[in-house]
Structure formats: C-alpha cells, structure tokens
Amino acid sequence: MRVVCLNNISPTGLNEFTKKYEIIDDLTKAELIVVRSAQMHDIDLPKKLLAIARAGAGVNNIPLDKMAEAGVVVFNTPGANANGVKELVIAGLLIASRDIVGGVNWVKANQTDEAISKSIEKAKVAFGGNEIFGKTIGVIGLGAVGGKVAEACFNLGMKVIGFDPYLSDEARSTLPNEIMLTDNLDQIYKVSDFMSLHLPLLDSTRYMMNEEVFEKVKPGCTLLNFSRDALVDDDDLEQAIASGKIKKYVTDFPNYKTANMENVICIPHLGASTEESEENCAYMACHELMKFVETGTIMNSVNYPRIDPGKQESVSRIVVLHQKEDLMVQFMDILFNKPVLNIITKTKGSKSVTIFDIDEDIPLDCLHKFKELEGVIRVRKIS
Ligand code: MLT
C-alpha cells in the first residue's frame, strides 16, 4: 500500500506502518494519504486512493463530499491533540487578561538599559490586567477540546457555562457537576466575560459570531477562537471591538484582516503544535488507515459511517461502500449459494457501508457484479 504524506507527519505515527506500507512522494500513486493542514480542495484525485487520514480534528481542508462520492473514506483524530489545544486556550485566556506580551516586548526593547531593573517598576503600570479567577467563561462546543477547556477553566476558579446540543451522555458525565449547561446560546452571550469557540467550521457555523450576536454579548467580553477563522465575521468583529462590545479577540487562526486589527491577539495556528499532540495524532491517523485497509473497520470517519466487523473468521471479507439505499436484495442475489457467515451494514448521511464475511474465496467476477450495481461506489476484497 502506497502512502503519501501531504505535510510533515510525526515519525511516531509513520513508524507504525508495517512492511506492507510504503511511504512515497508521488501523489498520483497514493492509495492512502496522511495530511495535516494541506489544502486538498484543488488536488486531482489519485486514481487508487482508498482513504485519507487527517492528523487533527478539523477537516475543512478536505473536500469530504467529493471524497465520499469517489469512495474515499476520510478519517480524523478527535481528541488526539485536545490537550495541546486546551493548554494554548488557557494561555490565550491569560494573555488576553494581562498584557504579558506587551510586557515581554517592553523588556526586549529595553534590554540595553543597564538600569532596567529600576525602569521596570515604572514601566509595568502599562501592562497590568485582571485575573481570570471568578470570571465567567462560556464554552461553545463541549467536544474533545471544549470539554477539556471547560474543566480546566473550572479548575482555575472560573464560572463555566457550556453549550453543546450534541453532547453525548458519556462526555457529559466527565464534566465537573458545577459546570452549568444551557441549550440557549443567548444565555452564554449575556453572562460571559470570556467566550471560547470549540466547534467545527460547517455551513451552519460559518460566521456564527456576527453583528447580531455581538449586540447580545456582555460589554467588554473577550472572544477566543481556537477552532477556525470563518466562525467569526471579521467585519462585524471589527465593529464590535470598536464599540467596546468585544474587548479582545484571541485567535489561533489569524487572517490578513484580523492580523491587522486592534485588540486582536493572533497566534500562528499553534494549538496542536506540540510534540505530544503531533505524535498522538500521527499514531492515531496511521492506525486508523491500517485498520481500515486490513479489516474494513471504520472508526472516526467524517464522511462514512463507523463500522466494526470484528475479527475476520471467514475465508473472504468484502467491503462495499454504497449510497444509502437498501441494496441488500441485489447483494444477496450475487452471493446466492455462497456461505455468508456474517453481514454488517451501517449508514451515515447519504452513505452506507456493508461488510460480508464469506467462508469461501470470492472470485473477481463476483466483485465485478457488485461494482456494476447502481448505487455501489466501491468494492474491496480484504482477503
Ligand atoms: C485541528 O483541527 O485539530 C488542528 O488544526 C490540528 C493542526 O494544527 O494540525
């Protein structure tokens, strides 16, 4: 199996690939891709591409629907870099509350002053601030990163109010009881001294922080965005900063506009740039790919359903990616008289995966019959 890495990927992950896998440079020959932030929207699809693993959570650099239509399963690595991002969010909170950056820059600019230890005491008045203890933070999105941010803020003595309409019972049970949950964003806007965004960039979340919202926020609120830049309407943000509604904006996703705005603290997308996060993401991404190739298992895909067929006990396993419609009758016609031991089928959105375990070798013509069925996107025999 030929693997192409579109970014630098930690050797901790790549070294996990067994001998069956070869890391190559030629994208046109890729059967598997590991990617971090490289833009994939304009690349020509390699003909034999089976799957892509994004070493990270956000997948807005990958054309998910196009990949799904082509039978390319896209994975991400939720949670693998969550601690790294959480720690940077906490740093963001602190550098927004006190002018630590201004102070550090002042020392650098005055490093030739032999009396600096005295001058500091006069100069420091310009770099004061507030403590975060006792302040209220609204955490919007309580997934892998948001949940950790909420918990860390609570442990730092903040009042935490969280919003996440998709919060699983499991995720809810790991949050401290003192964290207040709301299903009404307006409540968050009204009371928060800080708001932190932890949700994916989708059509439904694009520019969710806009004029209408800024009108509702508590005056002097600080907005933290360690998710994606386009969650925030930059023109509306500029107005909100000018009016004092938003005191500071801290972002790990600067763009030309925000990089040039007053009261904006820009970090160059460093959330997951820790050795630990890079290793965790790479490890998880490479294992997701191998598991899919070798067993058909799909965990953490963003464009195909989760499916776990378990250990293969049969002679053959066939993995069929297809449109959502029920093709079981046609499938069983093709497999008529074959010793089918197990069938598992799962659906997500408009795409389904069906896996057959069959206790005899399945000839190529049988696979061709599957491929010819309308609605079938890809058929693969594991062994
Ligand atoms: C993410 O979406 O998880 C981050 O953007 C990862 C990264 O920095 O590559």
Short mmCIF file of all heavy atoms in Angstrom, two decimals, residues 1-7 9-11 13-27 29-34 286 289-290:
data_model
loop_
_atom_site.label_atom_id
_atom_site.label_comp_id
_atom_site.label_asym_id
_atom_site.label_seq_id
_atom_site.Cartn_x
_atom_site.Cartn_y
_atom_site.Cartn_z
N MET A 1 0.84 -1.19 0.00
CA MET A 1 0.00 0.00 0.00
C MET A 1 0.88 1.24 0.00
O MET A 1 1.76 1.36 0.84
CB MET A 1 -0.82 0.04 1.29
CG MET A 1 -2.09 -0.74 1.22
SD MET A 1 -3.38 0.26 0.47
CE MET A 1 -4.43 -1.03 -0.11
N ARG A 2 0.59 2.12 -0.93
CA ARG A 2 1.45 3.32 -1.02
C ARG A 2 0.82 4.49 -0.25
O ARG A 2 -0.35 4.81 -0.45
CB ARG A 2 1.64 3.67 -2.48
CG ARG A 2 2.56 2.65 -3.17
CD ARG A 2 2.89 3.09 -4.56
NE ARG A 2 1.77 2.85 -5.43
CZ ARG A 2 1.69 1.83 -6.30
NH1 ARG A 2 2.69 1.00 -6.41
NH2 ARG A 2 0.64 1.68 -7.06
N VAL A 3 1.63 5.08 0.60
CA VAL A 3 1.14 6.15 1.47
C VAL A 3 1.86 7.45 1.10
O VAL A 3 3.10 7.47 0.98
CB VAL A 3 1.47 5.86 2.95
CG1 VAL A 3 0.86 6.92 3.87
CG2 VAL A 3 1.01 4.46 3.35
N VAL A 4 1.10 8.52 0.93
CA VAL A 4 1.71 9.84 0.69
C VAL A 4 1.36 10.75 1.87
O VAL A 4 0.21 10.78 2.32
CB VAL A 4 1.20 10.45 -0.64
CG1 VAL A 4 1.61 11.91 -0.76
CG2 VAL A 4 1.75 9.66 -1.82
N CYS A 5 2.35 11.46 2.37
CA CYS A 5 2.11 12.43 3.44
C CYS A 5 2.10 13.83 2.81
O CYS A 5 3.09 14.20 2.17
CB CYS A 5 3.21 12.37 4.50
SG CYS A 5 3.30 10.78 5.29
N LEU A 6 1.05 14.56 2.99
CA LEU A 6 0.98 15.90 2.39
C LEU A 6 1.56 16.98 3.32
O LEU A 6 1.64 18.13 2.93
CB LEU A 6 -0.46 16.25 2.02
CG LEU A 6 -1.09 15.39 0.92
CD1 LEU A 6 -2.48 15.90 0.61
CD2 LEU A 6 -0.24 15.38 -0.32
N ASN A 7 1.88 16.59 4.53
CA ASN A 7 2.56 17.51 5.48
C ASN A 7 3.62 16.70 6.21
O ASN A 7 3.66 15.49 6.07
CB ASN A 7 1.57 18.06 6.52
CG ASN A 7 0.49 18.91 5.91
OD1 ASN A 7 -0.61 18.44 5.64
ND2 ASN A 7 0.80 20.17 5.69
N ILE A 9 4.63 14.67 9.00
CA ILE A 9 3.86 13.87 9.96
C ILE A 9 4.86 13.19 10.89
O ILE A 9 5.90 12.69 10.44
CB ILE A 9 3.00 12.80 9.22
CG1 ILE A 9 2.03 13.47 8.23
CG2 ILE A 9 2.26 11.89 10.20
CD1 ILE A 9 0.95 14.36 8.82
N SER A 10 4.55 13.19 12.17
CA SER A 10 5.49 12.68 13.17
C SER A 10 5.90 11.23 12.88
O SER A 10 5.05 10.37 12.62
CB SER A 10 4.84 12.74 14.56
OG SER A 10 5.58 11.97 15.45
N PRO A 11 7.20 10.95 12.93
CA PRO A 11 7.68 9.57 12.73
C PRO A 11 7.07 8.59 13.73
O PRO A 11 6.96 7.40 13.44
CB PRO A 11 9.20 9.67 12.94
CG PRO A 11 9.52 11.11 13.01
CD PRO A 11 8.27 11.90 13.20
N GLY A 13 4.12 8.20 14.34
CA GLY A 13 3.00 7.57 13.64
C GLY A 13 3.48 6.77 12.45
O GLY A 13 3.15 5.60 12.29
N LEU A 14 4.30 7.41 11.64
CA LEU A 14 4.71 6.76 10.38
C LEU A 14 5.47 5.46 10.63
O LEU A 14 5.33 4.51 9.86
CB LEU A 14 5.56 7.73 9.55
CG LEU A 14 4.82 9.02 9.12
CD1 LEU A 14 5.73 9.90 8.29
CD2 LEU A 14 3.54 8.71 8.36
N ASN A 15 6.23 5.41 11.73
CA ASN A 15 6.97 4.18 12.04
C ASN A 15 6.05 3.02 12.42
O ASN A 15 6.49 1.88 12.50
CB ASN A 15 7.98 4.42 13.18
CG ASN A 15 9.12 5.32 12.71
OD1 ASN A 15 9.34 5.48 11.51
ND2 ASN A 15 9.84 5.92 13.66
N GLU A 16 4.79 3.34 12.68
CA GLU A 16 3.82 2.28 13.00
C GLU A 16 3.45 1.46 11.76
O GLU A 16 2.98 0.35 11.87
CB GLU A 16 2.55 2.89 13.60
CG GLU A 16 2.72 3.44 14.99
CD GLU A 16 2.99 2.35 16.00
OE1 GLU A 16 2.17 1.43 16.14
OE2 GLU A 16 4.06 2.42 16.66
N PHE A 17 3.59 2.08 10.59
CA PHE A 17 3.22 1.36 9.36
C PHE A 17 4.09 0.10 9.23
O PHE A 17 5.31 0.16 9.34
CB PHE A 17 3.42 2.25 8.13
CG PHE A 17 2.27 3.19 7.88
CD1 PHE A 17 2.49 4.56 7.77
CD2 PHE A 17 0.97 2.73 7.73
CE1 PHE A 17 1.44 5.44 7.53
CE2 PHE A 17 -0.08 3.59 7.49
CZ PHE A 17 0.15 4.95 7.39
N THR A 18 3.43 -1.00 8.97
CA THR A 18 4.17 -2.27 8.83
C THR A 18 4.79 -2.33 7.43
O THR A 18 4.60 -1.42 6.61
CB THR A 18 3.23 -3.45 9.05
OG1 THR A 18 2.13 -3.30 8.15
CG2 THR A 18 2.71 -3.47 10.49
N LYS A 19 5.45 -3.43 7.14
CA LYS A 19 6.19 -3.57 5.88
C LYS A 19 5.29 -3.49 4.65
O LYS A 19 5.74 -3.21 3.55
CB LYS A 19 6.94 -4.90 5.87
CG LYS A 19 8.13 -4.91 6.81
CD LYS A 19 9.14 -5.96 6.38
CE LYS A 19 10.30 -6.01 7.36
NZ LYS A 19 10.11 -7.03 8.40
N LYS A 20 4.00 -3.78 4.86
CA LYS A 20 3.05 -3.74 3.73
C LYS A 20 2.88 -2.33 3.18
O LYS A 20 2.30 -2.14 2.13
CB LYS A 20 1.67 -4.16 4.24
CG LYS A 20 1.46 -5.62 4.34
CD LYS A 20 -0.04 -5.83 4.49
CE LYS A 20 -0.32 -6.76 5.64
NZ LYS A 20 -1.63 -6.75 6.14
N TYR A 21 3.31 -1.34 3.96
CA TYR A 21 3.06 0.06 3.58
C TYR A 21 4.37 0.73 3.20
O TYR A 21 5.40 0.52 3.84
CB TYR A 21 2.41 0.80 4.77
CG TYR A 21 1.10 0.17 5.18
CD1 TYR A 21 1.09 -0.94 6.03
CD2 TYR A 21 -0.10 0.65 4.71
CE1 TYR A 21 -0.11 -1.55 6.40
CE2 TYR A 21 -1.30 0.05 5.07
CZ TYR A 21 -1.30 -1.05 5.92
OH TYR A 21 -2.48 -1.65 6.28
N GLU A 22 4.26 1.54 2.14
CA GLU A 22 5.47 2.21 1.66
C GLU A 22 5.17 3.71 1.58
O GLU A 22 4.15 4.11 0.98
CB GLU A 22 5.77 1.64 0.26
CG GLU A 22 7.02 2.15 -0.36
CD GLU A 22 7.06 1.84 -1.87
OE1 GLU A 22 6.07 1.25 -2.39
OE2 GLU A 22 8.03 2.23 -2.51
N ILE A 23 6.02 4.52 2.18
CA ILE A 23 5.80 5.97 2.11
C ILE A 23 6.46 6.46 0.83
O ILE A 23 7.67 6.25 0.63
CB ILE A 23 6.44 6.72 3.32
CG1 ILE A 23 6.13 6.02 4.64
CG2 ILE A 23 6.08 8.20 3.33
CD1 ILE A 23 4.84 6.32 5.29
N ILE A 24 5.68 7.08 -0.03
CA ILE A 24 6.22 7.57 -1.31
C ILE A 24 5.90 9.06 -1.45
O ILE A 24 5.12 9.62 -0.67
CB ILE A 24 5.62 6.78 -2.51
CG1 ILE A 24 4.08 6.94 -2.54
CG2 ILE A 24 6.03 5.31 -2.47
CD1 ILE A 24 3.47 6.65 -3.87
N ASP A 25 6.50 9.69 -2.48
CA ASP A 25 6.26 11.12 -2.69
C ASP A 25 5.23 11.40 -3.80
O ASP A 25 4.64 12.47 -3.84
CB ASP A 25 7.58 11.82 -3.09
CG ASP A 25 8.54 11.85 -1.93
OD1 ASP A 25 8.07 11.95 -0.78
OD2 ASP A 25 9.76 11.74 -2.16
N ASP A 26 5.07 10.43 -4.71
CA ASP A 26 4.25 10.68 -5.89
C ASP A 26 2.75 10.59 -5.56
O ASP A 26 2.19 9.49 -5.42
CB ASP A 26 4.64 9.64 -6.96
CG ASP A 26 3.91 9.89 -8.26
OD1 ASP A 26 3.03 10.77 -8.30
OD2 ASP A 26 4.21 9.18 -9.24
N LEU A 27 2.13 11.75 -5.49
CA LEU A 27 0.72 11.81 -5.09
C LEU A 27 -0.19 11.03 -6.04
O LEU A 27 -1.19 10.44 -5.63
CB LEU A 27 0.28 13.29 -5.00
CG LEU A 27 -1.15 13.56 -4.61
CD1 LEU A 27 -1.49 12.97 -3.24
CD2 LEU A 27 -1.44 15.06 -4.60
N LYS A 29 0.18 8.30 -7.26
CA LYS A 29 0.18 6.85 -6.97
C LYS A 29 -0.34 6.53 -5.57
O LYS A 29 -0.31 5.38 -5.13
CB LYS A 29 1.61 6.32 -7.10
CG LYS A 29 2.19 6.46 -8.49
CD LYS A 29 3.28 5.41 -8.70
CE LYS A 29 3.65 5.30 -10.16
NZ LYS A 29 4.69 6.25 -10.54
N ALA A 30 -0.83 7.56 -4.88
CA ALA A 30 -1.23 7.35 -3.47
C ALA A 30 -2.44 6.44 -3.36
O ALA A 30 -3.44 6.60 -4.06
CB ALA A 30 -1.54 8.70 -2.83
N GLU A 31 -2.36 5.48 -2.45
CA GLU A 31 -3.54 4.68 -2.09
C GLU A 31 -4.08 5.17 -0.74
O GLU A 31 -5.24 5.04 -0.44
CB GLU A 31 -3.16 3.21 -2.02
CG GLU A 31 -2.84 2.65 -3.41
CD GLU A 31 -2.14 1.31 -3.34
OE1 GLU A 31 -0.92 1.29 -3.13
OE2 GLU A 31 -2.83 0.30 -3.52
N LEU A 32 -3.17 5.71 0.05
CA LEU A 32 -3.54 6.29 1.34
C LEU A 32 -2.85 7.63 1.46
O LEU A 32 -1.72 7.79 0.98
CB LEU A 32 -3.07 5.38 2.49
CG LEU A 32 -3.58 3.94 2.48
CD1 LEU A 32 -2.86 3.12 3.54
CD2 LEU A 32 -5.09 3.90 2.73
N ILE A 33 -3.52 8.59 2.11
CA ILE A 33 -2.90 9.91 2.33
C ILE A 33 -2.98 10.23 3.82
O ILE A 33 -4.02 10.00 4.47
CB ILE A 33 -3.62 11.00 1.52
CG1 ILE A 33 -3.31 10.85 0.02
CG2 ILE A 33 -3.21 12.41 1.99
CD1 ILE A 33 -4.01 11.85 -0.88
N VAL A 34 -1.89 10.75 4.36
CA VAL A 34 -1.93 11.33 5.71
C VAL A 34 -1.69 12.83 5.51
O VAL A 34 -0.76 13.23 4.81
CB VAL A 34 -0.84 10.75 6.63
CG1 VAL A 34 -1.06 11.23 8.07
CG2 VAL A 34 -0.84 9.22 6.59
N CYS A 286 -2.38 6.87 11.51
CA CYS A 286 -1.78 5.73 10.82
C CYS A 286 -2.48 4.43 11.19
O CYS A 286 -2.73 3.58 10.34
CB CYS A 286 -0.28 5.66 11.11
SG CYS A 286 0.55 7.14 10.47
N LEU A 289 -5.85 4.13 9.40
CA LEU A 289 -5.68 3.71 7.99
C LEU A 289 -5.40 2.21 7.91
O LEU A 289 -6.02 1.50 7.11
CB LEU A 289 -4.54 4.50 7.33
CG LEU A 289 -4.82 5.98 7.07
CD1 LEU A 289 -3.58 6.67 6.51
CD2 LEU A 289 -6.00 6.16 6.11
N MET A 290 -4.49 1.74 8.74
CA MET A 290 -4.13 0.32 8.66
C MET A 290 -5.32 -0.57 9.00
O MET A 290 -5.55 -1.60 8.38
CB MET A 290 -2.95 0.02 9.59
CG MET A 290 -1.63 0.53 9.03
SD MET A 290 -0.22 -0.11 9.93
CE MET A 290 -0.29 0.82 11.43
#
